[in-house]
């Protein structure tokens, strides 16, 4: 069992060897034991191989494998179960073998019979052979499509691989197929020839593709096919043949030089395989199963019957909802192509590998061949309805029950409609609605589904078998089984799809093969001497997980109206979990997450986060980013509404989850309308009091958290603002100073107020060099002068920042530090700019003060680095993000000791606190550049990261919200 890939590219400028290794290594999970490459740079051709060793574990099984003359190169994924018989035939014909591997048998068989050899193989395989003698690259895939193989061809490029992900590894921006979602939503999987990547298609089962190099002329031929014949009309003969062929199939499938075992569910199929395997390997038989906390889903009593009968070494593995949540990201990563199935296979394969197995036998295929599904009994109904005028089944679209809506698929007078009647997921009109397209587009796309033709005269039960084998089994069960098993470096073998057994099944008359009352009755009769009645007389259960319950916590990060509608239906138990899961998979890029049970739904309200710049806006951006990351952990579900923003920045918060209005009335209406959906509403500012109070009147059970930043809550409040402050369940203050003001001025219980210090932006680029940027020195004509700076908004309504105080004492400072420069940066309103300029002129500081105006984000850090000290002796600062930004750049800081700045400097541990009204203290702090032993550079930066870094901020938010 392996993974294979190949490239022929005569125009690329990239390295062929790097390209093939990148493709190959993207599938490393499927072949952890060995790796190989064949390169012909002149052609140019590359073949890549990853090996999972099962037969001949030695280095002799290395691939690519060549013939003795070096004219053939073979890469092969799978097993040839009858390789020993073929090897004996070839040996009699004079071929000499150097290894014990089935790979060498393929090489010699090809040398002997050419491409006709593929029809002789009984196994599962996908292979590529480069024949240098004829300049042909040959691809082949087994009779049942057990092993996958995909390819792409145009005038200059031919690529093939075992997995779709390898094509993305070759070209990360490979375009997506435009219409893949249509068949996926209707089928629940991608039927051939659809894949998610443009012009990448699967090689059909039982098919050989010959590609001439370098012309890239491609010829396809079928070497294996199955036709219903009804040749076997005697029941006794049929029973004897089924027993003989299945026993031989199991014996062949047990051939391995690595540990092998069986999946044992307790149903007919796995029980039969276990009983037969015991006949050949006796006490070394190993079986495993999955169990759940929900006892109604466990099949342990039936498993124990077979375990007791065979004395198998059995191990059960408990899968909990927590396991599902933890593994969901990996499940999604493992899913090479979208599917509504495969989660069960993921877990059983994971535990089989943990159990020490390299290969396992699965009962897949028995239901499809021998009538184990309800579809066999419904087939005659489908045939009857399809004969009616199309409008009659079309009426089913208007029926209330989803099961009955499937009748509408029979408007299609084809085999696809027959299949969807039994296994369709979303109806044609539902799919059209979900994708905002017409029903005609849906039907036109479904016309492209490939399925082997079958004559209308074939018995309806055989038609059902044909559909199950060629659509459901091939496109979903086998694909998911292969993908999930190889993700865990495990080989899954399917004895019921043994070529000889399949040929036998196709030859038995349907009246003998099928029984309306007993599913798979022919298998049961064939082994009635060993198969206990309790196993087959019970109701069929299948390999069932508690998905409905588990899916309750799986949601999309990014939500639109269509998703919200489906989510509501699912929460109200009016939508099947598979349909809900299909929609999630269809919109995987919107972020599928498994949220913890009861994860709170949080709505964060803000005035603005992205349309303006300031301390509060920076806080809001960081808060939104924290909500995004906490949501990724599955601990909450978050949306946000902004009164004034026009859009979100995706780096901080998903645009689809961020409601923007630029209009108070629309904002308030949306809040009141949607508040009922959330458990917690976070008010980002006290100025949102009125709409929040209104929303709470209609939703009194909602928890309200109020964020307070500073002066807006320092004075006694009245009206709705006071009502919100006192009525909030929790208050967040950005500093201890603000918390104390709230407690003292408003008589709020101190336990109700949590301090959440401001943080450095999560995308802040911490400098690792603390040198002054030359381009700014040149811009401001600096030649070695000492520089102090302030970065803040200059507002006539906020004259408390302290820069005017620094200007006032600067004449004294420049006496002690001649030539000192004071850089004041930040956007200023006209009134304040005139006041500051007048003050500078009055004090005679024209040569000492530089007013830069607004500083672009790209230059902010460099402006900090330009300075020798940052100073802002404010009196009413709520916290002061600029302080921690400056210190993050290794810059000494001087701040006032009467407001939230105290928190930013950690009570003076990180910088110098001064009395803003004391000129002598300000002068002394500047002239000393902070006292001896002050923190500078890297040491200061690291302390700030620990205390005010984004991770600390996020974790504090997490604890506040999860306590609420």
């Amino acid at each position: 069992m392996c993974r294979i890939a190949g490239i022929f590219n005569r125009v690329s400028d990239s390295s062929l060897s790097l390209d093939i290794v990148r493709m190959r290594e993207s599938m490393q999970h499927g072949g952890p034991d060995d790796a190989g490459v064949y390169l012909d740079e002149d052609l140019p051709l590359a073949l890549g191989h990853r090996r999972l060793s099962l037969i001949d574990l030695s280095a002799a099984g290395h691939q690519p494998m060549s013939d003795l003359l070096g004219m053939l190169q073979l890469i092969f994924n799978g097993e040839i179960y009858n390789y020993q018989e073929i090897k004996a035939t070839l040996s009699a014909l004079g071929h000499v073998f150097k290894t014990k591997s089935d790979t060498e048998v393929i090489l010699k068989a090809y040398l002997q019979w050419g491409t006709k050899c593929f029809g002789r193989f009984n196994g599962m395989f996908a292979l590529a052979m480069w024949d240098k003698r004829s300049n042909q690259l040959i691809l082949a895939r087994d009779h049942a499509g057990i092993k996958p193989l995909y390819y792409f061809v145009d005038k200059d490029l031919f690529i093939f691989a075992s997995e779709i992900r390898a094509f993305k590894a070759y070209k990360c921006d490979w375009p997506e197929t435009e219409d893949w979602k249509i068949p996926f939503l209707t089928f629940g999987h991608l039927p051939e020839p659809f894949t998610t990547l443009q012009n990448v298609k699967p090689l059909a089962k039982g098919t050989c593709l010959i590609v001439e190099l370098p012309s890239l002329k491609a010829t396809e031929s079928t070497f294996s096919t199955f036709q219903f014949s009804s040749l076997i009309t005697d029941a006794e003969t049929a029973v004897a043949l089924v027993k003989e062929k299945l026993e031989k199939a199991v014996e062949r499938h047990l051939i391995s030089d690595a540990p092998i075992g069986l999946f044992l569910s307790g149903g007919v199929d796995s029980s039969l395989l276990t009983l037969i395997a015991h006949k050949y390997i006796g006490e070394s038989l190993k079986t495993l199963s999955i169990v759940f906390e929900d006892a109604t889903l466990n099949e342990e009593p039936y498993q124990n019957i077979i375990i007791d009968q065979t004395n198998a070494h059995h191990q059960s593995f408990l899968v909990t909802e927590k396991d599902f949540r933890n593994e969901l990201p990996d499940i999604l990563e493992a899913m090479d192509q979208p599917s509504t199935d495969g989660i069960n296979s993921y877990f059983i394969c994971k535990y089989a590998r943990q159990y020490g197995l390299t290969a396992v036998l699965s009962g897949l295929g028995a239901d499809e061949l021998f009538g184990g599904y309800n579809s066999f009994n419904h087939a005659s109904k489908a045939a009857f309805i399809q004969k009616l005028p199309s409008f009659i089944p079309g009426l089913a679209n208007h029926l209330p029950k989803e099961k009955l809506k499937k009748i509408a698929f029979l408007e299609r007078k084809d085999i696809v409609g027959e299949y969807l009647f039994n296994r369709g997921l979303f109806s044609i009109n539902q799919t059209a609605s979900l994708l905002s397209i017409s029903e005609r587009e849906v039907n036109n796309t479904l016309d492209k589904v490939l399925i082997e033709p079958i004559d209308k005269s074939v018995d309806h039960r055989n038609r059902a078998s044909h559909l199950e084998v060629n659509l459901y089994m091939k496109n979903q069960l086998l694909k998911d089984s292969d993908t999930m098993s190889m993700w865990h470096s495990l080989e899954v073998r399917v004895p019921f799809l043994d070529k000889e057994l399949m040929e036998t099944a196709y030859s038995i008359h349907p009246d003998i093969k099928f029984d309306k009352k007993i599913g798979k009755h022919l298998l049961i009769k064939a082994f009635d001497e060993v198969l206990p009645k309790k196993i087959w007389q019970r109701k069929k259960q299948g390999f069932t997980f508690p998905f409905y319950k588990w899916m309750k916590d799986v949601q999309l990060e990014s939500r639109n109206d269509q998703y919200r509608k489906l989510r509501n239906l699912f929460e109200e138990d009016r939508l099947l979990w598979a349909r809900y899961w299909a929609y999630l998979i269809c919109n995987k890029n919107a972020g599928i997450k498994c949220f913890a049970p009861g994860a709170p739904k949080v709505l964060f309200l803000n005035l603005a986060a992205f349309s303006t710049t300031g301390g509060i806006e920076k806080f809001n951006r960081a808060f939104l980013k924290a909500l995004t990351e906490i949501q990724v952990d599955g601990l909450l579900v978050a949306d946000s509404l902004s009164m004034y923003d026009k859009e979100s920045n995706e780096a901080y918060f998903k645009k689809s989850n961020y409601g923007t209005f630029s209009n108070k009335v629309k904002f308030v209406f949306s809040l009141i309308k949607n508040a009922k959906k959330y458990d917690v509403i976070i008010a980002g500012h006290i100025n949102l009091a009125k709409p929040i109070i209104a929303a709470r009147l209609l939703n009194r059970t909602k928890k309200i958290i109020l964020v307070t930043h500073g002066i807006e809550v320092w004075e006694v409040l009245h009206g709705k603002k006071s009502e919100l402050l006192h009525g909030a369940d929790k208050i967040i203050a950005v500093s201890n100073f603000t918390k104390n003001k709230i407690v003292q001025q408003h008589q709020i219980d101190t336990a109700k107020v949590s301090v959440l210090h401001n943080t450095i932006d999560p995308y802040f680029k911490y400098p690792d060099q603390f040198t002054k940027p030359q381009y700014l020195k040149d811009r401001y004509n600096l030649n070695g002068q000492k520089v102090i700076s302030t970065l803040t908004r200059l507002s006539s309504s906020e004259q408390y920042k302290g820069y005017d105080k620094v200007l006032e004492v600067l004449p004294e400072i420049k006496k002690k530090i001649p030539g000192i420069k004071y850089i004041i940066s930040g956007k200023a309103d006209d009134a304040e700019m005139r006041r500051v300029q007048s003050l500078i002129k009055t004090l005679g500081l024209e040569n000492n003060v530089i007013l830069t105006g607004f500083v672009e984000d790209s230059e902010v850090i460099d402006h900090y680095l330009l300075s020798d000290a940052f100073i802002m002796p404010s009196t009413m600062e709520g916290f002061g993000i600029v302080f921690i930004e400056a210190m993050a750049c290794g810059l000494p800081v001087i701040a006032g000791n009467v407001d939230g700045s105290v928190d930013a400097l950690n009570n003076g541990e990180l910088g110098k606190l001064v009395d803003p009204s004391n000129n002598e203290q300000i002068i002394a702090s500047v002239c000393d550049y902070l006292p001896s032993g002050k923190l500078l550079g890297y040491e200061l930066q690291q302390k700030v990261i620990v205390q005010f870094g984004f991770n600390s901020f996020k974790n504090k938010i997490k604890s506040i919200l999860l306590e609420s």
Side-chain angles (χ1 to χ4, degrees):
M1 185 68 71
C2 311
R3 282 299 191 242
I4 64 174
I7 307 168
F8 171 81
N9 190 347
R10 56 186 165 201
V11 295
S12 176
D13 294 328
S14 62
S15 167
L16 192 64
S17 60
L18 291 178
D19 287 343
I20 193 64
V21 168
R22 196 165 59 249
M23 288 184 71
R24 185 193 71 186
E25 294 310 289
S26 71
M27 304 181 289
Q28 181 180 0
H29 46 269
D33 298 332
D34 190 19
V37 164
Y38 167 79
L39 281 174
D40 184 334
E41 297 277 8
D42 296 327
L43 193 57
L45 174 70
L47 304 176
H49 184 265
R50 266 281 172 190
R51 184 185 183 200
L52 176 65
S53 305
L54 283 108
I55 296 175
D56 191 349
L57 308 185
S58 72
H62 176 80
Q63 296 183 46
M65 184 178 285
S66 174
D67 68 317
L68 293 176
L69 299 177
M71 301 304 289
L72 301 179
Q73 295 289 337
L74 171 66
I75 49 176
F76 159 56
N77 168 28
E79 308 290 348
I80 307 300
Y81 299 119
N82 64 337
Y83 80 100
Q84 290 176 331
E85 298 97 297
I86 296 173
K87 185 176 183 178
T89 301
L90 290 168
S91 295
L93 293 170
H95 292 273
V96 178
F97 292 85
K98 301 291 185 181
T99 74
K100 297 179 181 179
S101 72
D102 53 350
T103 310
E104 188 182 11
V105 172
I106 297 173
L107 271 174
K108 297 293 173 64
Y110 177 77
L111 284 170
Q112 181 66 39
W113 299 300
T115 58
K116 291 182 180 179
C117 71
F118 304 135
R120 293 174 176 260
F121 299 155
N122 185 355
M124 55 179 184
F125 60 87
L127 60 83
M129 181 90 70
W130 166 235
D131 188 341
K132 203 168 186 177
R133 303 169 305 176
S134 58
N135 287 334
Q136 291 180 335
L137 180 62
I138 300 160
L139 272 57
R141 190 177 176 205
D142 66 67
H143 64 281
I146 303 168
K147 302 311 297 176
L149 190 57
Y150 304 93
Y151 70 94
F152 167 88
V153 61
D154 69 7
K155 62 179 182 177
D156 294 309
L157 177 65
F158 182 80
I159 305 179
F160 67 87
S162 299
E163 297 183 27
I164 293 296
R165 75 179 79 244
F167 294 85
K168 293 284 284 185
Y170 175 79
K171 182 183 178 183
C172 63
D173 60 346
W174 197 298
E176 196 173 85
T177 304
E178 291 183 1
D179 56 2
W180 70 262
K181 293 182 180 181
I182 295 173
F184 177 68
L185 287 173
T186 49
F187 280 82
H189 61 261
L190 285 186
E192 294 185 3
F194 292 95
T195 69
T196 53
L197 297 187
Q198 201 171 98
N199 298 321
V200 176
K201 59 182 181 179
L203 181 65
K205 66 176 184 175
T207 296
C208 168
L209 180 69
I210 301 174
V211 183
E212 309 283 346
L213 299 184
S215 70
L216 287 178
K217 179 184 176 183
T219 307
E220 196 173 281
S221 62
T222 300
F223 61 81
S224 180
T225 187
F226 297 93
Q227 299 292 331
F228 294 106
S229 66
S230 299
L231 292 175
I232 302 172
T233 57
D234 176 67
E236 194 172 311
T237 302
V239 167
L241 277 172
V242 167
K243 186 174 189 296
E244 175 194 345
K245 297 299 182 182
L246 182 55
E247 286 182 341
K248 286 184 177 180
V250 172
E251 183 181 17
R252 278 193 286 262
H253 282 66
L254 288 171
I255 297 173
S256 176
D257 294 324
I260 190 168
L262 291 96
F263 294 148
L264 177 59
S265 67
V268 169
D269 314 329
S270 64
S271 296
L272 278 179
L273 296 183
T274 304
L275 291 166
I276 298 169
H278 177 253
K279 175 180 176 181
Y280 294 107
I281 59 178
E283 297 300 314
S284 61
L285 178 62
K286 287 187 175 182
T287 58
L288 74 151
S289 63
I290 294 290
V291 294
F292 308 101
E293 293 170 318
D294 184 350
T296 62
L297 296 176
N298 288 333
E299 299 183 85
E300 286 184 283
Y302 304 102
Q303 294 162 8
N304 289 335
I305 292 171
I306 302 301
I307 294 165
D308 292 341
Q309 191 166 328
T310 59
N311 200 29
H313 299 278
H314 183 80
Q315 187 163 343
S316 296
F317 295 89
L318 175 67
V319 179
T320 65
E321 185 172 359
K322 183 179 179 181
D323 294 324
F324 172 70
R325 289 201 309 272
N326 292 342
E327 296 294 340
L328 182 61
D330 198 54
I331 291 169
L332 294 170
E333 181 68 19
M335 199 177 288
D336 187 48
Q337 287 285 268
S339 174
T340 53
D341 200 22
I343 301 174
N344 44 11
S345 298
Y346 174 92
F347 280 104
I348 193 71
C349 293
K350 172 187 174 181
Y351 291 124
R353 193 63 174 167
Q354 286 185 13
Y355 193 19
L357 302 175
T358 307
V360 290
L361 270 58
S362 163
L364 196 156
D367 288 310
E368 290 77 7
L369 292 172
F370 294 99
Y373 296 131
N374 288 332
S375 58
F376 288 84
N377 295 329
H378 296 163
S380 59
K381 299 174 187 176
F384 171 76
I385 296 172
Q386 277 191 319
K387 293 176 182 178
L388 300 173
S390 295
F391 78 90
I392 295 178
L395 294 173
N397 282 317
H398 306 289
L399 295 175
K401 290 187 178 181
E402 290 297 326
K403 283 185 178 181
L404 296 178
K405 287 182 186 292
K406 289 186 178 183
I407 296 172
F409 283 119
L410 296 174
E411 280 185 291
R412 295 181 59 96
K413 306 296 185 180
D414 63 359
I415 200 164
V416 169
E418 285 184 57
Y419 174 82
L420 293 173
F421 168 66
N422 284 296
R423 292 200 177 272
L425 199 60
F426 285 104
S427 67
I428 288 170
N429 66 347
Q430 287 171 332
T431 298
S433 176
L434 288 172
L435 299 177
S436 300
I437 59 177
S438 68
E439 291 184 32
R440 175 175 289 185
E441 287 179 83
V442 175
N443 276 311
N444 288 344
T445 301
L446 296 183
D447 288 342
K448 301 173 188 175
V449 173
L450 288 181
I451 179 171
E452 290 80 352
I454 184 170
D455 193 274
K456 280 281 186 182
S457 63
V458 172
D459 182 90
H460 64 270
R461 292 161 295 183
N462 276 340
R463 288 179 66 85
S465 178
H466 181 78
L467 291 170
E468 298 290 6
V469 166
N470 290 286
L471 284 171
Y472 182 56
M473 185 187 82
K474 181 183 69 175
N475 295 318
Q476 182 155 340
L477 298 183
L478 286 174
K479 192 186 298 181
D480 291 338
S481 180
D482 175 82
T483 300
M484 295 306 182
S485 62
M486 295 305 282
W487 186 254
H488 294 290
S489 303
L490 179 80
E491 177 174 285
V492 172
R493 298 179 174 183
V494 282
F496 283 104
L497 299 185
D498 179 271
K499 192 175 181 181
E500 290 185 11
L501 180 59
M502 287 187 70
E503 289 170 342
T504 299
Y506 271 76
S507 300
I508 300 172
H509 194 284
D511 288 342
I512 298 172
K513 188 165 47 174
F514 306 113
D515 185 292
K516 192 170 185 177
K517 295 180 180 179
I518 304 174
K520 295 175 284 194
H521 84 111
L522 200 57
L523 289 174
I524 294 167
K525 285 184 177 179
F527 294 93
D528 63 351
E529 293 182 0
V530 292
L531 184 66
K533 285 186 178 180
K534 288 184 178 180
I535 298 295
W536 62 266
Q537 283 184 337
R538 70 189 183 98
K539 185 179 179 181
K540 179 179 175 63
Q541 182 166 321
F543 191 16
T544 306
F545 274 45
F547 287 129
Y548 190 85
K549 178 176 179 290
W550 293 358
M551 287 291 171
K552 289 288 187 179
D553 301 316
V554 182
Q555 300 185 35
L556 287 179
E557 283 185 52
S558 178
R559 293 175 285 283
N560 54 33
D561 290 341
Q562 190 71 262
Y563 169 70
R564 288 187 175 95
K565 181 180 178 181
L566 286 177
R567 177 70 194 177
N568 289 338
L569 288 172
F570 183 57
E571 288 180 344
E572 294 166 4
D573 298 338
R574 293 194 291 146
L575 185 72
L576 292 173
W577 74 264
R579 292 181 182 181
Y580 176 66
W581 180 235
Y583 185 84
L584 297 187
I585 294 297
C586 218
N587 294 275
K588 188 176 176 182
N589 291 337
I592 300 175
K593 300 297 175 187
C594 191
F595 295 87
K601 297 179 178 65
V602 175
L603 179 64
F604 176 56
L605 307 173
N606 69 80
L607 295 172
F610 305 105
S611 58
T612 55
T613 300
I616 293 177
E617 289 77 16
K618 286 185 176 182
F619 177 92
N620 288 342
R621 287 197 290 273
F623 202 96
L624 288 164
K625 178 63 173 175
L627 290 177
T628 295
E629 295 199 3
I630 298 169
Q631 184 167 253
V632 167
D633 295 335
L635 299 177
L636 56 80
V637 182
D639 288 326
S640 182
L641 300 180
S642 174
M643 185 178 287
Y644 297 120
D645 279 337
K646 293 183 178 179
E647 64 177 356
S648 170
N649 182 330
E650 286 278 345
Y652 293 89
F653 203 73
K654 289 275 189 182
K655 291 182 179 180
S656 55
N657 295 36
Y658 196 72
T660 57
F661 301 92
S662 301
N663 181 289
K664 288 183 181 180
V665 175
K666 290 181 179 179
F667 173 88
V668 173
F669 179 78
S670 179
L671 169 60
I672 293 173
K673 178 183 176 183
N674 294 295
K676 62 183 179 181
K677 300 177 183 178
Y678 300 95
D679 303 302
V680 180
I681 296 176
I682 303 170
H685 200 281
I686 193 70
N687 287 350
L688 292 164
K690 287 183 179 180
I692 289 173
I693 294 299
R696 194 171 203 183
L697 286 173
L698 301 174
N699 303 276
R700 293 189 177 277
T701 61
K702 303 300 176 187
K703 291 185 177 179
I704 305 294
I705 298 176
L706 171 64
V707 179
T708 59
H709 297 276
I711 59 173
E712 81 275 12
V713 292
W714 289 354
E715 301 299 329
V716 175
L717 299 173
H718 302 283
K720 297 300 181 184
K721 290 183 179 180
S722 176
E723 186 178 343
L724 177 59
L725 191 69
H726 286 86
D729 297 282
K730 186 176 286 292
I731 299 170
I732 292 174
V734 299
S735 65
N736 283 292
F737 183 85
T738 295
K739 175 180 179 177
N740 293 335
K741 282 280 191 180
I742 291 171
V743 171
Q744 294 163 11
Q745 290 282 16
H746 306 282
Q747 287 77 52
I748 300 290
D749 183 358
T750 186
K752 185 176 173 178
V753 187
S754 296
V755 175
L756 173 65
H757 287 132
N758 258 309
T759 185
I760 299 168
D761 188 276
Y763 296 103
F764 189 86
K765 295 181 179 178
Y766 295 94
D768 53 10
Q769 299 292 326
F770 304 97
T771 56
K772 296 187 177 186
Q774 186 62 44
Y775 79 96
L776 290 182
K777 290 169 66 177
D778 294 340
R779 180 187 298 176
Y780 301 128
N781 196 25
L782 300 175
N783 296 300
Q785 302 97 324
K786 294 296 183 182
V787 178
I788 59 175
S789 67
T790 299
L791 173 64
T792 187
R793 181 174 58 236
L794 283 71
S795 172
S796 56
S797 63
E798 297 179 359
Q799 295 177 0
Y800 55 80
K801 302 290 187 177
Y803 46 81
D804 49 356
K805 197 69 176 176
V806 178
L807 290 171
E808 183 182 327
V809 300
L810 194 58
E812 290 298 318
I813 294 173
K814 72 177 186 178
K815 291 177 183 178
K816 298 183 179 183
I817 309 175
I820 189 170
K821 297 288 186 179
Y822 180 29
I823 298 177
I824 305 176
S825 299
K827 187 177 180 180
D829 61 41
D830 292 341
E832 185 66 0
M833 179 58 74
R834 288 193 298 270
R835 186 181 79 88
V836 171
Q837 288 174 335
S838 176
L839 187 58
I840 291 170
K841 185 176 181 179
T842 300
L843 295 169
L845 298 173
E846 291 92 339
N847 294 326
N848 299 94
V849 180
I850 300 170
L851 298 173
T852 71
F854 177 76
V855 176
E856 296 289 343
D857 287 347
S858 60
E859 292 188 352
V860 167
I861 291 174
D862 285 344
H863 276 77
Y864 286 129
L865 294 172
L866 184 65
S867 305
D868 296 290
F870 184 89
I871 184 167
M872 198 171 80
S874 62
T875 56
M876 291 191 292
E877 187 70 26
F879 177 85
I881 291 179
V882 288
F883 294 130
I884 59 176
E885 287 182 346
M887 292 186 292
C889 295
L891 185 63
V893 167
I894 302 165
N897 64 4
V898 298
D899 61 9
S901 308
V902 175
D903 282 41
L905 271 63
N906 196 24
N907 295 310
E909 178 190 333
L910 300 177
K912 181 68 174 177
L913 293 170
V914 298
D915 181 350
S917 65
N918 189 317
N919 289 2
E920 294 303 319
Q921 282 192 22
I922 297 173
I923 294 168
S925 66
V926 173
C927 293
D928 294 342
Y929 298 111
L930 302 181
S932 58
K934 56 187 175 290
L935 294 167
L936 291 169
Y938 182 77
E939 184 182 1
L940 177 58
Q941 181 188 80
Q942 294 307 302
K943 281 185 173 288
V944 170
I945 290 173
V946 170
Q947 294 192 33
F948 301 112
F950 177 71
N951 283 336
S952 175
F953 178 78
K954 179 182 70 175
N955 290 333
K956 181 65 175 177
I957 291 174
K958 187 188 298 183
S959 65
I960 290 172
L961 292 180
L962 297 183
E963 286 173 5
S964 299

